[in-house]
Amino acid sequence: MDQDLVASLLASAFEQSSTAQWLCDSQGLILKSNQAMINWLATDSSRLTETTLSSWLPDVLPAHLSQMSNRTVRSLTLFLPNDKTTPVKATFQPIKAASARHFWVSLLPATDTRDPDLPLQTLFDSSQDSIAYSLLDGTILLANPAFLSMLDRSVMDVIGHNYREFTPENFVSLEESRIREQLLSNNVSEVYDKRFLRPDGTPVDMSIRLALVRDDQGEPLGVWSVSRDVSMRNQLIESLANSERRFRSLFRTSMDAIGLWTPDHQLQFANNAYLTMTGYTQSELSQLTFHEMTPPGWEDIDTEIAQQVEERGYSDVFEKELLHRDGTIIPVSIRATAVRDRDGSISGSWVIIRDIRAYKRVLNALEHSQNMLEQTNRMARVGGWEYNAQTYQFTLTDESFRILAIPRTFNTSLTNIQKLFSEESQQQLFEQIGHTLDGGLASDLEIPLDGFEPPRWLRITAQPAIDTQGVTYVVGAVQDITEFKNRQQSLEQDRDEFQRMAFHDSLTQLPNRLLLEDRFRQLNFQANRSNGRVAVIVIDLDDFKDINDRHGHPAGDALLRAIASRLTQTVRQSDTVARLGGDEFIILAALDDAEEASLVASKVHQQLQKPIDWDGTQLHCSCSLGVALYPEQGDDFSTLYQAADLAMYKAKTTGKNRMEVSDQ
């Protein structure tokens, strides 16, 4: 066995042993004491290493050590500091260390009937690895608990049995050929995979290594085996393989176009959807750059996507247009994600593109589609039901059982049917049936079915009916409208988002010019009724380009967002702050008189003098302001904006960081 391995195992067993032990040389000098010995002698390890065995065991002299055989047990007297007559049982076990002869010395009280622990016994019994010792013919002589647990067999079923009884034939052939040759030539085998069999035939995959034991004449005696369960490793390998197969399947069958682009905009891979969407073949696409597939006017979007991928590893979802091979313009949504190499550098980008032509058509026809869906839903009788007011029982069609997710053997009493819904929905259902019975009017109810996440929505209609015997019933229909609800919610969210994007600046979320002009018309109307004024204040940041050049665009964007927030907090809620693009902002303020305009502008100017903290850096950016008043400088927004803009330009050309009121 490998000498380093032996030394490591002995050291571990020595330290962990519950038996007091010394390691000494052939002259009896104590070289090392384990913790059990230190605790028993109530002294520190440094004092022990300065003494000899005879200091503690007077009956043991160097001459005695040289005469001791392989494993000698003697009854001796231990000299403790406060007790010179403690009887002990000492075990002397010689070991070879390099060219010298050393001894393990183990002590137990004379009254203790236990055999002193062998140095490797603790390690052997407690190891999580499966350890066994067998003769050359394969007969197992020793097996630790982990080995027995691995085979799911008892000691009697393993000890004295041949390892071939637990090993498939193909592994036996391997071990008797190549592995046996390795043992005889190197005394240790390579680590190889092996399979054992449990009593029920269940295979156990293990990683195993063998070590040959020889006698003093060098003849082979037996074999130690150390095995470790590799099922978790194999599961991980299989999981990775499955993940790769799923990815390849997704890549090939995805309805979205997926492509891998290099940093220099060359396409490496493209799925079938990509080829279909663009009309190109794989070889043709490899000759084109991403920009060549983009119609004019969308270059800024491409630049923004590339910048976001470089800065944070992925981009937002953008809408743009793609150029088909035949010249057709295709509206698409697009998102990109960085691919990194082992060093963390970006080696490419996965780009996912979705054709949104159908989505655009649906969005444009939202109101019409909603009305059509509502009418169709009222008329559709997907599942039928009726309720007998005398027996309190429901009768359901087969489709109703499916929609309610209950078996046909389900007891359809009113009490049981109500349990399918939450307490709130139960009350609504009970009131609907009662209202239909008492009032004789048809009703329509939308409630979620309990126990489903995400919610599963049902539409339940009801109307009264009377049979030929005069018994009153409630009949109706039940329909699963979950998809409709989700679609309705999604379309409404998309509509709201498109409206927000149409009237707001994407960076600062402030109103843009379209919404600003509408707000001006409202303030104009109010000013005419109250004989008031409307101030148009144009704000332009001084030397904003220096911020971008010195700190980068992220700093510039952060500054614009901070200024937008500061302006919103400075003016009244009834006033409007907007961003017209770049570093230009505008404020609309309703005033009682003309003098207020300068006060508002001065307050804004003062607030913008304060620095803005960005990533631990103080950003300073002054501003120039121009002010125009309605109705003094004009009756419409365009005229007032032009007057305020000219005043701002005058402030900027006469020193910057100041305010000018239009005198036109």
Side-chain angles (χ1 to χ4, degrees), residues 30-42:
I30 296 175
L31 304 176
K32 190 173 182 61
S33 305
N34 69 354
Q35 191 61 45
M37 180 68 79
I38 294 170
N39 293 340
W40 189 8
L41 301 182

Side-chain angles (χ1 to χ4, degrees), residues 166-168 171 193-197 203-206 234:
F166 322 124
T167 306
F171 289 99
D193 288 344
K194 175 176 179 174
R195 176 169 292 173
F196 288 101
L197 296 176
V204 184
D205 292 324
M206 307 293 288
N234 293 341

Side-chain angles (χ1 to χ4, degrees), residues 505 540 578-585:
D505 170 54
D540 191 84
R579 180 186 176 216
L580 299 189
D583 56 353
E584 184 176 347
F585 296 84

Side-chain angles (χ1 to χ4, degrees), residues 305-350:
I305 291 174
Q307 182 176 337
Q308 289 186 3
V309 169
E310 182 177 356
E311 292 175 354
R312 66 188 189 191
Y314 65 93
S315 76
D316 296 328
V317 177
F318 289 90
E319 288 192 7
K320 59 170 288 186
E321 291 179 346
L322 200 65
L323 192 61
H324 191 273
R325 190 175 188 275
D326 63 7
T328 304
I329 301 296
I330 306 172
V332 298
S333 65
I334 183 171
R335 187 171 200 173
T337 303
V339 176
R340 300 184 183 275
D341 57 23
R342 293 183 178 179
D343 298 328
S345 302
I346 295 178
S347 60
S349 300
W350 283 112

Side-chain angles (χ1 to χ4, degrees), residues 476-487:
V478 57
Q479 183 178 12
D480 188 336
I481 59 169
T482 304
E483 183 177 353
F484 166 74
K485 280 282 190 181
N486 293 340
R487 184 181 181 192

Side-chain angles (χ1 to χ4, degrees), residues 212-226:
L212 185 66
V213 177
R214 298 179 182 271
D215 60 17
D216 293 340
Q217 286 73 41
E219 295 299 321
L221 287 178
V223 178
W224 282 107
S225 67
V226 181

